[in-house]
Amino acid sequence: MSSASPSPATVLNAVDTLAPAGTPVTTTEVAAEFDCTARTIYNKLDVLVNQGTLETKKVGARGRVWWRPTEQSSDELYDAAHSLAPSAHSRLREGQDSFQLSMENLGQEDLYELIFNQTFHFIGVLEPNGTLIDANEAALSFGGLTREDVVGEPFWEAYWWQLSDGTQAQLRDAIDRAADGEFVRFEVEVQGADRTAIIDFSLRPVSNEHGEIILLVPEGRDITDLKEREQQLQRIDRLNTVIRAIVQTVARAETRKEVAQAVCDTLLEFDAYQSTVMGELSSLFDDFEPWAMAGDMETYLDEMLDQKAPPLDEGPAAHAVRTGELQVQHDLADLPYDYWKHLADTHGIRSYASVPLGYEGTVYGVLGVYADRSEAFNQEKQRILTELGEIIGYALYALERRDVLDPTAELEFRSAEIARLCRTETDADFELALDSTVSLSDGTERLFWAVNGLSPQIVRSLVESGFPSASDFRLLKDVEESARFHVTATDQSIAAIFDTFDGELQTVTIKDDTATVIGRFPETVDSTTVVQAIREQYSDIELVAQRRLLTPTYLRQFVDEELTDRQQAALQLAYFGGYYERPRLKTGDELAAELGISRQTFHYHLRRAESTVFYHLFEQAAALPSD
């Protein structure tokens, strides 16, 4: 087969020859017109899509089709809009010369149907004065309307716009501006048959060849889900603020009491709660030991534990410990015991939340949060308290085992550009996980990866063709659709960029046409600066989530502190390079060469590293002699 590569223009001519505009063709069909590979034709077609000459769509698990977009003039759009609403046209143009489009012209009618009614966006056609000529099926279905309900009426009086007078006034102003030739766009809430929706609304004026405005085209894109995701991210940011304030203190705490006092004090400042207490119930749920409290709590707690009080094992704190789930009493006036209701009323308490502090099925304590108002714990605050309970439970678990708590920031990015680089080799979804990064003697980085969902042959092709920042691919191990391999990366790789911010790349997942990249960084990282750095290589990268994590790092800390750089490099290369596999995937000579040292020196550093690790693992009493 010839290696000659056709130009994009030649490929476009082949598409036009194979099918008329608007008719999809496959990559294989186009490639059959040339003496070259389907991959080459795929790349040329992708160039034409980026130029706006072709459009494309994924079909099935691995396929993709391409087509030349159709074109239609403003006058044709006007004709088509009026021809499909003849009764409205006659009413709106009564007393004036009208024009009719012959319904025998099926090509134009079909084209109008394709553009107008086969889209999920809300689209309409207006006279310049705002009278509705037609609306597409998506808009009518959303409002539970028929064309007879709305055609011929002022657009602002239609059911969609009846939420408020302000909404209607905003629309009338937009129509006036569009009739003067201005493109208008804004976000607005509209009314549907069974729900409201936030739409990205626009009004586009359409003019004839003389520059006269003859139509207005309103369009609405439902962005309700997008807005909900934005609000969710805002809630997460707010949650992160609370968690960060608590975690920063908890991470430095050496005792359970320090953890408890930090949490109680911070929660009081966060949402003006009346009081907080943290402690543990006895095994029989007949007593409560407070570790710390804040606010007006001490007198209330003493009275609650008095002999006159109902048994604790019937209260929400005991129920939270038993079930491991948050318990909320939205109005203490509804409590089943008169004594508790009297006590709450005396101290001005109106609502209460009991938060279990658990990790991996074990509840270490309970957090009580009291408010002087009813319904103080909405869904968002319940999410915050549940998340805090898990983090505090983890902190208590770690303190019991004398682990070191390391607060980190997990950043999640998305990019279509990275996914596109991978799609030249495969349409399958897959995940790449970075096991380790080792610095070599020549200043480069050796990256050890694990991949699921791809064959080793595709992995090699993907690395070699899609990622110019990686080289020296070597397959270490493969089992069916899972493989381990290493590459040498330049300072242009995402892993290297993350490393400049003391971060670590975790995973890269390709699903459909989107790449999701997750990395972990110190909690003080400036995420905006990280995004800017990555965009120098991948311009469309976008930060979509930021999470705060607590991770135990005792072993990692001693490795960083007690192993030399050479010992760490030797140990990592040996472990991830397959030195300990049977049979060995790499010999000591190969690993020594990668580090630029002799075999004897490599084994010396490896033995010293192993000895230090074993010492800490088995808690030997005698300290090792220093190097």
Side-chain angles (χ1 to χ4, degrees), residues 239-546:
L239 171 62
N240 284 338
T241 301
V242 182
I243 292 177
R244 185 181 308 154
I246 292 175
V247 165
Q248 286 176 343
T249 302
V250 168
R252 295 189 295 268
E254 296 182 358
T255 67
R256 186 176 61 182
K257 184 175 181 179
E258 287 182 32
V259 172
Q261 197 64 59
V263 172
C264 290
D265 292 341
T266 305
L267 276 178
L268 225 60
E269 298 173 3
F270 164 61
D271 201 22
Y273 293 121
Q274 185 190 51
S275 53
T276 54
V277 61
M278 187 188 297
E280 63 180 326
L281 285 159
S282 63
S283 59
L284 298 178
F285 299 102
D286 57 358
D287 195 17
F288 178 78
E289 177 193 349
W291 302 334
M293 60 186 76
D296 183 20
M297 190 68 218
E298 188 169 356
T299 304
Y300 174 81
L301 189 61
D302 288 342
E303 294 180 24
M304 186 178 70
L305 297 176
D306 188 80
Q307 293 295 325
K308 294 180 293 183
L312 291 176
D313 65 351
E314 298 180 23
H319 196 51
V321 173
R322 287 193 188 101
T323 64
E325 297 178 354
L326 174 74
Q327 303 297 312
V328 174
Q329 187 70 41
H330 291 291
D331 190 340
L332 267 64
D334 298 331
L335 285 171
Y337 297 104
D338 291 337
Y339 179 80
W340 277 359
K341 286 192 286 189
H342 171 73
L343 185 61
D345 187 61
T346 301
H347 289 268
I349 297 172
R350 293 291 177 266
S351 57
Y352 166 76
S354 184
V355 187
L357 311 176
Y359 177 70
E360 290 190 343
T362 300
V363 177
Y364 296 91
V366 64
L367 168 67
V369 185
Y370 300 81
D372 58 3
R373 58 199 183 280
S374 301
E375 306 294 336
F377 303 97
N378 58 23
Q379 291 296 319
E380 175 188 352
K381 290 172 184 175
Q382 289 183 44
R383 281 193 295 270
I384 290 173
L385 291 176
T386 299
E387 180 83 7
L388 280 176
E390 294 170 356
I391 289 176
I392 297 165
Y394 189 21
L396 296 174
Y397 156 82
L399 282 175
E400 281 194 359
R401 287 150 182 78
R402 303 187 63 82
D403 286 341
V404 177
L405 293 179
D406 180 27
T408 60
E410 184 176 85
L411 305 186
E412 181 177 332
F413 306 87
R414 287 184 189 159
S415 168
E417 185 178 345
I418 295 175
R420 206 158 41 237
L421 291 172
C422 300
R423 287 306 184 214
T424 60
E425 300 299 329
T426 177
D427 282 336
D429 296 337
F430 62 90
E431 179 182 88
L432 289 163
L434 183 62
D435 284 337
S436 183
T437 302
V438 181
S439 298
L440 302 181
S441 58
D442 60 359
T444 59
E445 302 278 345
R446 176 63 47 81
L447 274 57
F448 292 85
W449 290 91
V451 60
N452 291 313
L454 294 180
S455 67
Q457 295 78 9
I458 292 180
V459 172
R460 179 186 295 275
S461 299
L462 181 64
V463 172
E464 293 176 348
S465 65
F467 295 92
S469 59
S471 60
D472 300 330
F473 174 92
R474 175 166 175 174
L475 181 67
L476 300 173
K477 189 175 184 180
D478 71 279
V479 179
E480 295 181 348
E481 291 292 291
S482 298
R484 292 186 65 246
F485 65 94
H486 73 54
V487 295
T488 301
T490 68
D491 57 4
Q492 304 300 312
S493 68
I494 290 183
I497 295 172
F498 281 10
D499 186 60
T500 62
F501 296 94
D502 294 327
E504 294 181 347
L505 177 61
Q506 300 293 306
T507 59
V508 179
T509 304
I510 308 298
K511 185 173 183 180
D512 296 329
D513 294 328
T514 302
T516 300
V517 180
I518 294 179
R520 290 182 181 174
F521 299 82
E523 65 166 346
T524 56
V525 70
D526 183 348
S527 57
T528 302
T529 306
V530 176
V531 172
Q532 291 173 347
I534 305 176
R535 280 182 178 165
E536 293 182 8
Q537 300 300 320
Y538 303 102
S539 60
D540 73 333
I541 201 81
E542 182 179 6
L543 177 66
V544 296
Q546 181 169 337

Side-chain angles (χ1 to χ4, degrees), residues 170-182:
Q170 185 180 22
L171 176 60
R172 295 190 68 167
D173 175 68
I175 290 172
D176 290 341
R177 290 159 57 192
D180 288 335
E182 180 182 349

Side-chain angles (χ1 to χ4, degrees), residues 182-201:
E182 180 182 349
F183 175 77
V184 185
R185 183 177 180 181
F186 55 89
E187 293 178 6
V188 64
E189 186 176 11
V190 293
Q191 185 167 268
D194 53 7
R195 68 181 179 95
T196 61
I198 301 173
I199 63 172
D200 179 2
F201 178 75

